[in-house]
Amino acid sequence: MKRLSERVIGISESETLAVAARVRKLRECGLDIVDLSLGEPDFPTPEYICEAAKQAIDSRLYFSYPPVAGYLDLRRAIASKFNTQNNINYTHEQIVVSNGAKQAIVNVLLALLDPGDEVIVFSPHWVSYESLIRITGATPVFVKANAESGFKVSKEQLGKAVSRRTKLILFSSPGNPTGAVYSRDELEGIAEVVRSNEGITVISDEIYEFIEYSGSHASIASLPGMADRTVTVNGFSKLHAMTGWRVGYMGAPQWIADAATRIQGQMTSANSSISQRAAYEAISGGPDRSLYMVEEYRRRRDLVYEHLCRLPGIKTGLPQGAFYFFPDIKDYFGTRCNEYVINDAQGLCDYLLNHSGVAVIPGDPFGDKNCIRIAYTRPERQLEDGLNRIKKSLALLQ
Ligand code: PMP
Ligand code: GLU
């Protein structure tokens, strides 16, 4: 008899990774797919970072288990980054290096949540937040922002969502999937609610920190009194194009960093030694050496925006960060083309994939049934090709 745990029955497959797997299969069958699904940099990891990993192997010094929370020099470099770039005074002892930002988030959720606890999640939200919260037995409480508010939750909305059971607030800024960036003033509004409710901690997911076009990114932990109330999560996947190296980290109040280290020590021991040496080089080099990629994302964003604005029935704003568009496509619900009937966002995504060979992701798992997510992590020529294909397929829907 196959008896899975209640825990795993309650969680879904990562929708982003599921679409990516589907694209891989279609390509194996020889189909020409323009993949605008996965939020993964298409650039190779910069050469100087790869070189550091090669040197680490050749030195033969990094073949043993690393310290659970990460190598001391890397944790010091991360603490110094927080200090100089984010104006947050975490010491190196408050830094835990993990297998991606994903594990950093899991560590905090496991450290703080019991069944019955609630986590307020600003929505639209990254797909994995919901399942990761459910794994702990806690309940996600989605506070929904709409396009009119720039997909940003107000302090009034947040205040209303807080209950006796609220233990955490979780959000990403710049945001996946909307690209929304909370200004310092908006973060101050959130901080006011946190300060007036003892026992609530914030997880601020800042993985897209430097993939930002408005210059207004700020860290909530840098606001008065908030460093003690905030876990700041970040990582190397996005800015440095290091998704496969699996390095993320948190800066946290000491009691949370200690608990996260305890959990990580039991679960994965530590992050890969060679990846940490590469990450050390990346963070020591600073963001500037990787910003050429952000410039390219900005050009792509502008290009995709121009195309989307010309498509009838598609409503979108101009995202301020990350590398996604999250347009409203509900005008197409109830339309059809031959055997394809579009009842919802999933129907539209299936149509686009099967009819025009373009992969995008339905908005439902991100918290908005009327939207789709388009990742512009592809070169301009491919984006043009994908958008032209979308345009042709949409024009056939009646
Ligand atoms: N947070 C957000 C908002 C993301 O989009 C992602 C996806 N990469 C992650 C965290 C996890 O990143 P990592 O590759 O560092 O695990
Ligand atoms: N975070 C990226 C995305 O949303 C990568 C895939 C994942 O980890 O979800 O597409």
Side-chain angles (χ1 to χ4, degrees), residues 306-316 327-333 335 348 387 390-397:
E306 243 176 63
H307 277 259
L308 291 180
C309 286
R310 277 191 253 122
L311 290 181
I314 301 264
K315 298 186 197 78
T316 183
D328 182 310
I329 45 80
K330 71 170 171 304
D331 280 6
Y332 287 96
F333 296 172
T335 61
L348 187 69
L387 289 157
I390 291 177
K391 182 178 170 187
K392 280 189 197 143
S393 292
L394 291 181
L396 295 175
L397 288 172

Side-chain angles (χ1 to χ4, degrees), residues 48-58 245 274-275 277-278 281:
Y48 74 100
I49 299 174
C50 299
E51 203 48 52
K54 287 184 209 159
Q55 280 175 19
I57 293 174
D58 290 342
W245 301 75
I274 304 303
S275 290
R277 298 324 306 158
E281 196 63 24

Side-chain angles (χ1 to χ4, degrees), residues 117-389:
D117 288 338
E118 290 178 356
V119 182
I120 294 178
V121 179
F122 294 0
S123 187
H125 55 276
W126 179 41
V127 288
S128 289
Y129 291 159
E130 174 167 4
S131 286
L132 297 181
I133 292 165
R134 290 201 190 282
I135 284 176
T136 70
T139 307
V141 174
F142 297 105
V143 178
K144 178 114 189 264
N146 53 27
E148 288 68 48
S149 66
F151 289 117
K152 288 187 261 189
V153 167
S154 67
K155 71 172 178 189
E156 290 75 22
Q157 278 180 291
L158 175 60
K160 278 191 205 139
V162 170
S163 82
R164 265 189 320 108
R165 294 174 184 275
T166 309
K167 216 161 199 185
L168 277 168
I169 294 169
L170 169 57
F171 69 101
S172 61
S173 174
N176 177 3
T178 63
V181 180
Y182 284 76
S183 69
R184 183 167 286 276
D185 280 354
E186 288 158 346
L187 293 174
E188 182 49 44
I190 294 163
E192 274 172 34
V193 178
V194 175
R195 288 189 205 106
S196 57
N197 286 279
E198 220 184 303
I200 295 182
T201 301
V202 177
I203 302 180
S204 176
D205 180 347
E206 301 181 17
I207 186 109
Y208 296 101
E209 172 181 16
F210 285 104
I211 305 181
E212 204 260 336
Y213 318 107
S214 65
S216 62
H217 171 77
S219 294
I220 190 165
S222 68
L223 301 178
M226 288 304 290
D228 285 345
R229 305 290 300 275
T230 307
V231 179
T232 309
V233 170
N234 209 324
F236 294 83
S237 287
K238 309 292 171 175
L239 172 66
H240 299 291
M242 291 177 69
T243 47
W245 301 75
R246 308 305 304 128
V247 199
Y249 56 87
M250 73 170 81
Q254 195 64 59
W255 60 283
I256 298 179
D258 291 345
T261 306
R262 221 151 70 216
I263 292 167
Q264 180 159 298
Q266 294 292 4
M267 282 202 166
T268 57
S269 300
N271 180 240
S272 142
S273 59
I274 304 303
S275 290
Q276 287 192 58
R277 298 324 306 158
Y280 178 72
E281 196 63 24
I283 204 156
S284 307
D288 291 0
R289 296 181 76 174
S290 293
L291 289 181
Y292 63 94
M293 292 183 258
V294 180
E295 276 317 304
E296 181 61 28
Y297 297 136
R298 179 199 290 270
R299 275 194 288 279
R300 295 173 183 181
R301 176 195 68 155
D302 294 345
L303 177 116
V304 175
Y305 185 60
E306 243 176 63
H307 277 259
L308 291 180
C309 286
R310 277 191 253 122
L311 290 181
I314 301 264
K315 298 186 197 78
T316 183
L318 182 66
Q320 296 305 306
F323 29 52
Y324 310 104
F325 276 82
F326 199 57
D328 182 310
I329 45 80
K330 71 170 171 304
D331 280 6
Y332 287 96
F333 296 172
T335 61
R336 64 186 307 150
C337 168
N338 301 328
E339 75 272 27
Y340 298 103
V341 182
I342 313 301
N343 289 321
D344 51 22
Q346 180 68 59
L348 187 69
C349 291
D350 289 344
Y351 171 65
L352 292 177
L353 185 57
N354 297 326
H355 190 267
S356 56
V358 181
V360 293
I361 305 188
D364 313 38
F366 298 95
D368 196 325
K369 288 181 168 36
N370 296 328
C371 294
I372 57 173
R373 193 189 76 170
I374 300 173
Y376 48 92
T377 45
R378 296 285 163 244
E380 287 188 28
R381 260 203 10 241
Q382 270 184 48
L383 289 173
E384 300 249 15
D385 179 18
L387 289 157
N388 285 330
R389 293 190 199 191

